[in-house]
Amino acid sequence: WYKAGCLFPFMRNHANAGTARQEPWVFGPEALETIRHHVRLRYKLLPYMYQLWNDQEQNGTAVMRPLFHDFANTDGLELDRVDDQFLIGPAILQAPIVQQGQQQRSVVLPGACRWMDANTGEFLAGGRSIHVTSNAESTPIYLREGSLVPMQMGVRTTAANDLADIELHVILGAGSTDTATLDYVADDGQSYGYQRGERSVYRLTASRSGDVLT
């Protein structure tokens, strides 16, 4: 559940009175390390997710999306029937392992774009279904080529966040001719001043020619 839910718009684990405790540390050291990794991943991705929540508030755009939100059905890929994987915004696709005891599954990579396997760095052609094997420590996550994904700096070890200090992950593989663009929205993170226009928007672009990134 922690791996499947780490990128949900709202991540919270519930229990009822009288049921088993569900804090991350009650499942043993191996599970704790896996949960810690995915909670840190969520914190690292807060700058990206903050952009999605801004877009949702202004335009009503879904944060967590079915595949057919951004892509059309094609021959052999009926995306409106895929109900066990999802998009988080336009750039991230997650296909969690949801069957007890299984570590493999089919994953649909939609569209004519390539997708980068976040666990291996390999770029994979879209418009098809692939078979993947995961492990107890990871969850299948893919980044859409042509994207700029803002993340917090370094490994997150506290709940402190500074969304003005970011790493910019450029998802452009070898041979890519895409120009990746991101409008990065920033505000004070504290008040409703943004509703009065008290915010900044930075347009960032990146392109690749051979091994030269501009």
Side-chain angles (χ1 to χ4, degrees):
W1 156 246
Y2 278 100
K3 291 193 296 180
C6 68
L7 298 183
F8 281 19
F10 187 67
M11 180 186 179
R12 186 172 182 176
N13 198 352
H14 284 277
N16 292 325
T19 62
R21 299 188 68 90
Q22 307 228 15
E23 292 89 347
W25 49 86
V26 303
F27 301 110
E30 182 180 356
L32 176 60
E33 191 58 35
T34 297
I35 293 169
R36 178 183 286 121
H37 169 78
H38 288 88
V39 171
R40 285 177 171 173
L41 173 63
R42 180 181 181 84
Y43 273 91
K44 189 167 180 66
L45 280 166
L46 275 184
Y48 173 73
M49 300 185 80
Y50 199 73
Q51 306 308 301
L52 304 182
W53 288 316
N54 271 287
D55 196 26
Q56 195 281 330
E57 197 227 24
Q58 285 197 295
N59 304 308
T61 308
V63 174
M64 183 179 182
R65 315 170 178 183
L67 302 189
F68 63 79
H69 183 283
D70 288 45
F71 299 93
N73 285 348
T74 58
D75 291 341
L77 290 182
E78 297 181 353
L79 302 183
D80 52 347
R81 295 183 178 274
V82 178
D83 60 3
D84 60 353
Q85 60 183 90
F86 52 88
L87 300 166
I88 295 294
I92 299 179
L93 182 151
Q94 186 177 0
I97 305 293
V98 293
Q99 299 298 326
Q100 180 74 18
Q102 288 190 10
Q103 293 298 342
Q104 52 186 326
R105 59 160 296 162
S106 294
V107 174
V108 173
L109 299 177
C113 57
R114 293 191 298 185
W115 294 86
M116 189 189 84
D117 185 328
N119 290 298
T120 67
E122 181 183 5
F123 281 81
L124 304 168
R128 61 189 178 124
S129 180
I130 63 173
H131 189 78
V132 303
T133 299
S134 185
N135 56 47
E137 292 77 37
S138 65
T139 185
I141 294 177
Y142 301 86
L143 302 176
R144 185 179 181 177
E145 187 169 36
S147 302
L148 297 179
V149 181
M151 302 187 195
Q152 293 203 81
M153 301 287 287
V155 177
R156 311 313 301 162
T157 57
T158 73
N161 306 297
D162 181 359
L163 304 193
D165 189 14
I166 63 170
E167 300 172 350
L168 191 64
H169 290 247
V170 182
I171 315 302
L172 294 172
S176 175
T177 59
D178 292 330
T179 296
T181 302
L182 171 69
D183 287 336
Y184 189 77
V185 178
D187 55 50
D188 64 17
Q190 306 271 341
S191 71
Y192 290 100
Y194 70 91
Q195 295 179 342
R196 302 186 296 273
E198 297 171 8
R199 64 170 16 153
S200 300
V201 181
Y202 302 89
R203 171 154 288 188
L204 307 167
T205 62
S207 59
R208 175 175 179 167
S209 177
D211 291 332
V212 177
L213 182 67
T214 303

